[in-house]
C-alpha cells in the first residue's frame, strides 16, 4: 500500500508543479503585456515601466514564478485587471455557484444512470432496457448546449414554466428558488454525463454477473436482489467510480458553454468573459483552481480505488 | 512460383478486406452510421451543387418560417438556413477530422515511444499527458484560441492538442501489451533498430485501435468545435458552421424557435453516425473497448 501510495502522490506532486508552471507561463504566451494592459492605452513609457515594477515583472523569471507560487499557496492570486477586487475574491464569489451546479448535475446524472445501467445489465431484452438504449444513443449524440437551447425553447420561451436564464441562489437558504434557477442548466449537463456513466455501469455489471462467484452466491440460495446489491454492484461500482470522478472534475472545471448560454454566474462564464476582456490575472487564477481541483479529485479517486480493490494496492 | 505466391497474396488481401466488411456489417447500426456519414461528407464536398442558395446570399425576408422557396426558413440576415446547414458540414468535418488527425499524429508516437522505451521516457511523457488531461477540453481550446486567434487552422490546433492524451494513453497501453510478444522480440533479434521495431512492427499492430479512436475523437471534436462556435470563438463569420448558427439563433429564440433546432439536429446526427461507425470498426478490428470516452465532451 505505502509503495503505491508514495508513487501515486509523487506523480500528483510532479504534475501539480508542471501545471503551475504551465498556468503561470501561459500569461506570457497570451497577446498583450500585462503592464501595458493595466497601465491603460494612453500610458507613457515610464508609466508602463512603473506598473511593470509594481507587478514585479522586472524581476528575474524564476523569482517571478516563485513569488507567484508563494502568493497562490497563501491565497493571494493578484489583482483583477478590470475590477477593484482581488482575484481570490472574484473566484470565491463564483466557485460556490459552479460547485452547486456541478453537484446538482452529478446527482441528477447518477439518479438517471444507476437505474438505467442496472436495467440494461440485468434485463437486456426487456422493453424498458430497449427504451433505455434509445435514451443512451440520443443522449450521447445530442450536444449539451443544443439540449440547453431546446430546453430554453420548450420550457422557458413557449410555456414559461421555468426561467430562460440561470442564476445562483444558495440551496441551503432557499432550496426551491435554487432549484428553479439552476434546474435547466443542471439537466443540460446531466444528460450527457448520465449516458456515459450508465454505459460504463451496464458493461461492468453485466460482466460481473457472469463471473463464477456470482454463481456460487446464487448456489448458496441467496436472494437475487441481495446477489445484485451486495455482491455484483460492489464489484461493478469500481470502474464506474473512476468515470464519476472524471465527470465531476470536468463539471467543477466549469461547464463554460452551458454557463454562458444560461448566463449562470459560475466559474466557467467568469473564465470565458475574462479571456475576452484579457483579464489575465483572473484567467490565471481560475485555470489554476480548475487544474488543482481536477488533479486532487483524480488522486482521491485513485486512492479510493486502491482502498476498495486490494489487488491494486498490493500489486 | 512467384506468380503463384503473388496470387495467394492477393487472395489473402481480398479475403482480409472481406472479413473486415462482413464483420463490420454484423452491426446494423454501424451500417446506418456509415451511410449517414457518407451523406454528410457528400453534403460537405458537393455543397455548391446541393444547396439551393449560396451560404451568404440574402433574400427578401429575415427570420421567415419554413416555406416552398426556403424549406427551413431564413435566419436573422435573411439567409437560407438549409443552404447554410449544408455548407456548415464543411467546418464541422474539417475541424473534427483535422484535430483528431493532429491528436493522433502527436499522441500515437508519444505513446509508442513511452510504452516501448519505458523508464524515464515513459514517466516524462505520461506526466506531460497528465498535465494536458488536467485542463477540461473546452477550457484548453478556449485558452489556446485566445493565444493564437480563431481561424479554422487554429481551431484544429487547439482541439487537436486537447486530443493528444487519448491517443498517447491508448498507444502506450497497446504497446505495453505487445512489447514482449514473440514477433516483436523476433524483429529485435533479426537486428532491426529500435525506431524500426517501434514504428514498423509495433505501430502496424496498433492501427486497429487507433482507427477506432480516430473516429471517436473526431465525434468529440465536432462537438467541441460547435461549442466554441456557440461561444463566438469558432470559424469566423460569415462562414457557416452549425455551432455558429446556434449562436446566431440564440438571440431569436422568441421570434423564431425553429432557427435553433436544425443546426443542432445536424450536429446530433453527425455525432451519432460517427459513434456508430466507431462501434462497427471496433467489432471489425476486434478491439474490446478502445480508450472509452470517459471525458465529458462539453
Amino acid at each position: 500500500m505505502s509503495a503505491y501510495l508514495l508513487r501515486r502522490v509523487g506523480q500528483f506532486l510532479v504534475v501539480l508543479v508542471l501545471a503551475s508552471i504551465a498556468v503561470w507561463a501561459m500569461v506570457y504566451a497570451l497577446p498583450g503585456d500585462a503592464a501595458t494592459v493595466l497601465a491603460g492605452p494612453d500610458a507613457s513609457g515610464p508609466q508602463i515601466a512603473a506598473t511593470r515594477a509594481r507587478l514585479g515583472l522586472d524581476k528575474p523569471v524564476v523569482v517571478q514564478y516563485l513569488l507567484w507560487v508563494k502568493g497562490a499557496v497563501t491565497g493571494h492570486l493578484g489583482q483583477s485587471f478590470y475590477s477593484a477586487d482581488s482575484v481570490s475574491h472574484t473566484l470565491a464569489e463564483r466557485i460556490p455557484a459552479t460547485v452547486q451546479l456541478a453537484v446538482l448535475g452529478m446527482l441528477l446524472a447518477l439518479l438517471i444512470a444507476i437505474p438505467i445501467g442496472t436495467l440494461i445489465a440485468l434485463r437486456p431484452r426487456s422493453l424498458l432496457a430497449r427504451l433505455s438504449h434509445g435514451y443512451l444513443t440520443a443522449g450521447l449524440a445530442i450536444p449539451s448546449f443544443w439540449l440547453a437551447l431546446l430546453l430554453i425553447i420548450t420550457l422557458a420561451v413557449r410555456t414559461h414554466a421555468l426561467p430562460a436564464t440561470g442564476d445562483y441562489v444558495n440551496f441551503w437558504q432557499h432550496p426551491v428558488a435554487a432549484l428553479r434557477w439552476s434546474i435547466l442548466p443542471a439537466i443540460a449537463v446531466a444528460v450527457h454525463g448520465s449516458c456515459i456513466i450508465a454505459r460504463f455501469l451496464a458493461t461492468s455489471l453485466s460482466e460481473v454477473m457472469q463471473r463464477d462467484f456470482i454463481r456460487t452466491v446464487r448456489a448458496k440460495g441467496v436472494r437475487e436482489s441481495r446477489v445484485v446489491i451486495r455482491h455484483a454492484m460492489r464489484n461493478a461500482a469500481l470502474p464506474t467510480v473512476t468515470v464519476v470522478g472524471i465527470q465531476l472534475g470536468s463539471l467543477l472545471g466549469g461547464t463554460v458553454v452551458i454557463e454562458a448560454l444560461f448566463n449562470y454566474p459560475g466559474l466557467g462564464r467568469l473564465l470565458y468573459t475574462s479571456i475576452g476582456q484579457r483579464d489575465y490575472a483572473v484567467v490565471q487564477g481560475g485555470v489554476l483552481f480548475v487544474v488543482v481541483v481536477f488533479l486532487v479529485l483524480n488522486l482521491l479517486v485513485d486512492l479510493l480505488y486502491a482502498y476498495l480493490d486490494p489487488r491494486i494496492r498490493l500489486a | 512460383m512467384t506468380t503463384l505466391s503473388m496470387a495467394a497474396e492477393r487472395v489473402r488481401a481480398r479475403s482480409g478486406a472481406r472479413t473486415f466488411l462482413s464483420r463490420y456489417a454484423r452491426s446494423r447500426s454501424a451500417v446506418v452510421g456509415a451511410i449517414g456519414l457518407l451523406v454528410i461528407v457528400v453534403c460537405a464536398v458537393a455543397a455548391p451543387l446541393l444547396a439551393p442558395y449560396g451560404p451568404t446570399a440574402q433574400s427578401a425576408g429575415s427570420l421567415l418560417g419554413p416555406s416552398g422557396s426556403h424549406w427551413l426558413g431564413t435566419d436573422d440576415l435573411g439567409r437560407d438556413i438549409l443552404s447554410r446547414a449544408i455548407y456548415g458540414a464543411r467546418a464541422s468535418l474539417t475541424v473534427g477530422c483535422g484535430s483528431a488527425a493532429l491528436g493522433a499524429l502527436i499522441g500515437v508516437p508519444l505513446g509508442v515511444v513511452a510504452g516501448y522505451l519505458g523508464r524515464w521516457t515513459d514517466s516524462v511523457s505520461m506526466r506531460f499527458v497528465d498535465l494536458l488531461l488536467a485542463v477540461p477540453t473546452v477550457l484548453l481550446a478556449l485558452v489556446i484560441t485566445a493565444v493564437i486567434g480563431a481561424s479554422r487552422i487554429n481551431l484544429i490546433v487547439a482541439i487537436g492538442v486537447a486530443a493528444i492524451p487519448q491517443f498517447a494513453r491508448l498507444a502506450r497501453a497497446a504497446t505495453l501489451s505487445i512489447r514482449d510478444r514473440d514477433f516483436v522480440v523476433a524483429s529485435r533479434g533479426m537486428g532491426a533498430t529500435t525506431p524500426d521495431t517501434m514504428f514498423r512492427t509495433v505501430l502496424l499492430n496498433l492501427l486497429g485501435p487507433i482507427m477506432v479512436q480516430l473516429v471517436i475523437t473526431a465525434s468529440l471534436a465536432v462537438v467541441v468545435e460547435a461549442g466554441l462556435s456557440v461561444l463566438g470563438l469558432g470559424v469566423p463569420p460569415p462562414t457557416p458552421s452549425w455551432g455558429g448558427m446556434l449562436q446566431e439563433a440564440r438571440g431569436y429564440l422568441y421570434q423564431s424557435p425553429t432557427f435553433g433546432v436544425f443546426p443542432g439536429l445536424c450536429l446530433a446526427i453527425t455525432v451519432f453516425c460517427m459513434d456508430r461507425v466507431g462501434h462497427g470498426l471496433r467489432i471489425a478490428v476486434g478491439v474490446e473497448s478502445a480508450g472509452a470516452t470517459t471525458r465529458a465532451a462539453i
Side-chain angles (χ1 to χ4, degrees), chain B residues 135-208:
Chain B
V135 193
T137 311
V138 175
L139 195 56
L140 187 59
L142 204 67
V143 171
I144 296 177
T145 40
V147 174
I148 59 182
S151 73
R152 196 174 300 204
I153 296 291
N154 290 354
L155 278 173
I156 292 176
V157 172
I159 304 172
V161 168
I164 292 175
Q166 299 161 14
F167 287 101
R169 286 197 161 181
L170 172 75
R172 175 178 176 271
T175 305
L176 279 177
S177 74
I178 65 166
R179 184 173 62 174
D180 298 320
R181 293 262 292 275
D182 287 344
F183 68 94
V184 180
V185 178
S187 151
R188 266 198 304 259
M190 287 194 296
T193 58
T194 306
D196 240 17
T197 314
M198 280 194 297
F199 292 111
R200 290 186 184 206
T201 315
V202 173
L203 186 62
L204 271 183
N205 281 281
L206 303 185
L207 288 184

Side-chain angles (χ1 to χ4, degrees), chain B residues 19-31 279-280 283-284:
Chain B
T19 331
F20 182 86
L21 284 180
S22 76
R23 277 200 197 155
Y24 183 93
R26 232 180 268 167
S27 164
R28 217 181 313 159
S29 67
V31 176
H279 174 69
I283 300 171

Side-chain angles (χ1 to χ4, degrees), chain A residues 182-204:
Chain A
S182 55
I183 193 72
L184 286 188
I187 293 174
V189 296
V191 168
H192 193 265
S194 75
C195 292
I196 292 176
I197 298 170
R199 233 191 204 186
F200 253 82
L201 183 63
T203 314
S204 53

Side-chain angles (χ1 to χ4, degrees), chain A residues 106 196-197 200 239-253 294 297-298 301-302, chain B residues 133 136 169 292-296:
Chain A
M106 186 43 80
I196 292 176
I197 298 170
F200 253 82
T240 316
V241 165
T242 315
V243 185
V244 172
I246 293 173
Q247 293 279 320
L248 191 62
S250 43
L251 287 186
L252 285 173
F294 189 86
L297 217 62
N298 259 13
V301 166
D302 278 0
Chain B
L133 265 182
R169 286 197 161 181
T293 56
T294 49
R295 296 187 78 184

Side-chain angles (χ1 to χ4, degrees), chain B residues 95-135:
Chain B
V95 175
C97 299
S99 47
L102 181 69
L105 224 55
I106 303 173
V108 169
L110 191 69
V112 170
V113 171
Y116 190 79
L117 296 181
R119 294 166 183 276
W120 65 268
T121 321
D122 188 26
S123 306
V124 170
S125 30
M126 284 308 112
R127 293 301 82 74
F128 168 69
V129 167
D130 286 347
L131 177 65
L132 279 181
L133 265 182
V135 193

Side-chain angles (χ1 to χ4, degrees), chain B residues 59-92:
Chain B
S59 74
S62 64
L63 294 174
L64 295 176
S67 67
S69 50
H70 297 280
W71 289 2
L72 295 168
T74 58
D75 68 4
D76 51 323
L77 297 175
R79 299 171 297 192
D80 184 48
I81 291 179
L82 177 64
S83 304
R84 283 180 69 75
I86 292 175
Y87 275 93
R90 291 182 163 183
S92 284

